[in-house]
Amino acid sequence: MIKLQNFFFMSAGHYWLVIGVVLFVLLNTAAGLIWLERRVLALWQDRYGPNRAGPFGVLIVLADTIKLFFKEDWIPPFADKVVFVFAPAVVVASVLMSFTVIPFGPNAVVADFNVGLMFFLAMSSMGVYSIVLGGWASNNKYALLGAMRGASQMISYEVFMGLSLMGVVILSGSFNLGEIVTAQKNGWFILPQCVGFFIFLIAGIAETHRLPFDIPEAESELVAGFHAEYSSMKFGLFFIGEYLGITLISSMVVTLYFGGWLGPAFLPPVIWFVLKTFAFILLFILLRASMPRPRYDQLMEYGWKILFPLSLLNLLITAAIKLLI
């Protein structure tokens, strides 16, 4: 059963306020990360980056948005029009639904499910449908091939992601994300679960198809994978979904392994959560600036021959130590 008693103790006004604040912050964060990534990449690669549109180039996001709105919203005549339009919305909706179970503070959570971790895994799996439907509905062989290799990557790395989280579940004794954070009062799970953390982080990068695992998009190639036929705001939704995914994985890493909102009392719990999440967002950007893209066969071999055995070994050792203690 899903634990709903917290809803009854939370006033309707407070509940809708939390939903409104979360949506407002997330959508603005996705837009802000576009500017932040360009500025930070420019800093690390010793170049200027955006510096013309507004102070420090901050209006470049507005310029990109206006450009996307005024581009021709073209649907190929040979495409499955309903599915073609529906596919970009899936990725944004699935990521936003995942945020409903993340506790940003002691009383700052949209839905306090006792199966919150399982809900996150279920919603993250929905992102595969966006890639597959987008590539298939385009009726383009290059887009379909990009969708197939992207789907195989995401489905494979979901296996390792789920297994890496089971060590945290064993230590905390709960699938509830709030209880997992509370269980870290005496020590963050990064220490006993360092192997699970690295597996989850690598799987998260592959799930959000960011460099070096951006094979589903392959933006530097001639044909950009599954979204080759997309333009205007439909392409913009894929773009926003990627940055929301970065924020989601960073938030989950903080919640599961770095104590969530826990921190010294001189800052509010929500601020601690934001600072930790922001640090991992910068890590995502740094990886894009410094890591080369592996071949597709190397990516799959790395997952099934290294990460899969490691995740099973981590699970078995954690369970054995827990039983002994």
Side-chain angles (χ1 to χ4, degrees):
M1 288 182 61
I2 294 175
K3 185 174 69 177
L4 297 174
Q5 59 262 37
N6 286 354
F7 291 171
F8 297 106
F9 295 106
M10 185 186 296
S11 67
H14 181 234
Y15 178 66
W16 288 108
L17 177 63
V18 171
I19 293 177
V21 170
V22 169
L23 277 176
F24 177 80
V25 171
L26 288 178
L27 294 177
N28 282 278
T29 298
L33 284 181
I34 298 172
W35 170 83
L36 177 68
E37 182 171 39
R38 294 181 181 182
R39 290 295 297 184
V40 174
L41 284 176
L43 175 66
W44 284 331
Q45 295 175 342
D46 195 22
R47 53 187 177 83
Y48 286 111
N51 58 2
R52 292 290 187 270
F56 303 104
V58 72
L59 295 181
I60 194 68
V61 180
L62 179 61
D64 284 347
T65 305
I66 294 174
K67 178 183 71 174
L68 284 174
F69 267 116
F70 283 93
K71 276 184 175 290
E72 181 183 3
D73 189 11
W74 184 71
I75 299 177
F78 45 78
D80 187 321
K81 293 180 174 56
V82 175
V83 180
F84 187 85
V85 174
F86 175 70
V90 174
V91 62
V92 177
S94 63
V95 175
L96 288 177
M97 287 293 290
S98 299
F99 276 103
T100 60
V101 295
I102 294 180
F104 304 99
N107 295 309
V109 59
V110 176
D112 191 19
F113 295 163
N114 64 350
V115 289
L117 194 56
M118 301 300 292
F119 184 83
F120 158 74
L121 291 173
M123 288 298 104
S124 64
S125 300
M126 295 294 291
V128 180
Y129 286 95
S130 177
I131 289 179
V132 173
L133 292 177
W136 174 76
S138 299
N139 201 9
N140 177 313
K141 291 182 177 63
Y142 292 105
L144 182 60
L145 286 173
M148 289 299 100
R149 65 181 183 180
S152 61
Q153 169 185 320
M154 294 180 70
I155 292 173
S156 297
Y157 276 79
E158 278 172 13
V159 176
F160 322 135
M161 176 183 284
L163 287 173
S164 68
L165 298 179
M166 291 304 103
V168 170
V169 173
I170 291 172
L171 293 177
S172 63
S174 175
F175 283 97
N176 182 287
L177 292 176
E179 293 178 5
I180 290 174
V181 173
T182 306
Q184 300 179 67
K185 284 185 176 180
N186 297 323
W188 295 351
F189 286 158
I190 179 59
L191 297 177
Q193 284 295 301
C194 57
V195 175
F197 159 69
F198 283 111
I199 295 173
F200 180 81
L201 183 62
I202 293 169
I205 297 169
E207 280 289 292
T208 54
H209 36 89
R210 292 278 300 180
L211 271 166
F213 301 146
D214 68 330
I215 291 174
E217 294 178 357
E219 58 186 16
S220 60
E221 297 180 7
L222 293 177
V223 177
F226 65 94
H227 55 63
E229 299 289 351
Y230 281 89
S231 62
S232 189
M233 286 310 296
K234 295 186 187 67
F235 173 79
L237 283 176
F238 282 123
F239 205 54
I240 292 171
E242 177 182 323
Y243 285 99
L244 285 174
I246 295 172
T247 309
L248 173 64
I249 296 299
S250 300
S251 301
M252 286 299 297
V253 168
V254 169
T255 301
L256 296 170
Y257 298 100
F258 287 87
W261 68 76
L262 299 176
F266 63 85
L267 286 177
V270 175
I271 300 300
W272 279 119
F273 186 90
V274 171
L275 291 176
K276 295 176 187 178
T277 303
F278 183 72
F280 279 97
I281 290 173
L282 289 179
L283 175 62
F284 271 82
I285 299 174
L286 176 60
L287 289 174
R288 179 176 181 178
S290 56
M291 297 290 288
R293 179 191 300 135
R295 295 196 315 266
Y296 178 71
D297 61 305
Q298 292 174 332
L299 174 70
M300 301 303 290
E301 183 177 355
Y302 178 69
W304 286 106
K305 290 187 177 180
I306 299 177
L307 293 186
F308 184 57
L310 275 179
S311 58
L312 287 176
L313 188 63
N314 176 67
L315 176 58
L316 290 173
I317 293 175
T318 304
I321 294 175
K322 182 73 172 179
L323 285 173
L324 287 174
I325 294 176

